[in-house]
Amino acid sequence: MNNFDCVDRLVNVMKKLDVTRLTADEYVRYRNQLAKEYPKEFTPIRRKETLSLRALLSRKNDQVKLSFTYDRFGRCTQEYILK
């Protein structure tokens, strides 16, 4: 399996949900939910896949932008934005 498959799976989930912005937590939740509903199309999220995504998206990518937002308490939220 190629590491860039992680990005393709993220894009597929975002297109299936018809969204352009998705947090990392939402991605994990929706990806696992879609894997239960559509087992032939989607697989459950793999261990450390979100870390692979962060590494891949921090480099130049033409499909998805990685963004970090902080709330007033200093908690960080990782967000994926479809280009």
Side-chain angles (χ1 to χ4, degrees), residues 6-24:
C6 297
V7 177
D8 292 337
R9 285 192 292 270
L10 171 63
V11 171
N12 289 341
V13 168
M14 292 178 82
K15 286 181 179 178
K16 182 73 173 182
L17 296 172
D18 196 27
V19 296
T20 56
R21 298 175 83 95
L22 194 64
T23 66

Side-chain angles (χ1 to χ4, degrees), residues 1 3 13 21 25 43 48 53 62 64 67 69 78 81:
M1 178 177 62
N3 281 342
V13 168
R21 298 175 83 95
D25 293 337
T43 58
K48 297 187 180 180
L53 269 173
D62 59 346
V64 180
S67 172
T69 55
Q78 181 178 328
I81 303 168

Side-chain angles (χ1 to χ4, degrees), residues 47-82:
R47 187 174 184 192
K48 297 187 180 180
E49 189 170 338
T50 54
L51 293 175
S52 298
L53 269 173
R54 184 184 304 171
L56 288 170
L57 296 177
S58 63
R59 300 184 187 109
K60 186 175 181 182
N61 189 321
D62 59 346
Q63 292 180 305
V64 180
K65 178 184 173 194
L66 179 63
S67 172
F68 295 97
T69 55
Y70 296 88
D71 65 7
R72 61 187 178 133
F73 302 109
R75 290 184 296 231
C76 179
T77 302
Q78 181 178 328
E79 190 173 49
Y80 309 118
I81 303 168
L82 194 61

